[in-house]
Amino acid sequence: MIEAILFLIFGLVVFYFSIWILILLPAEMAEARGRSAVRWILVSLFFSPGLAIFLLWWLGDNPYREDDQ
């Protein structure tokens, strides 16, 4: 019984970490840089989360962002 509970907890932690890497981190990085979060989530899902994170870091802020700065 304890093993099942520990396995469930471990599974939930792995699931949350996967969602964070695949969706939440690229979305937060894209929004912080004035880029489309949906597009970068798709890059992360179809290609690689590492690639999406690296490209967002490398590209930096969107020079054409439309917010009040």
Side-chain angles (χ1 to χ4, degrees), residues 3-55:
E3 293 87 13
I5 293 172
L6 291 176
F7 185 73
L8 177 64
I9 291 171
F10 179 74
L12 290 173
V13 168
V14 169
F15 177 74
Y16 178 76
F17 183 73
S18 300
I19 294 298
W20 181 73
I21 288 290
L22 288 171
I23 296 173
L24 298 176
L25 183 60
E28 290 172 7
M29 287 180 70
E31 287 178 354
R33 289 163 174 76
R35 300 184 182 277
S36 170
V38 174
R39 290 180 185 158
W40 286 99
I41 289 171
L42 292 175
V43 169
S44 175
L45 292 174
F46 288 116
F47 296 104
S48 164
L51 177 66
I53 292 167
F54 174 75
L55 288 175

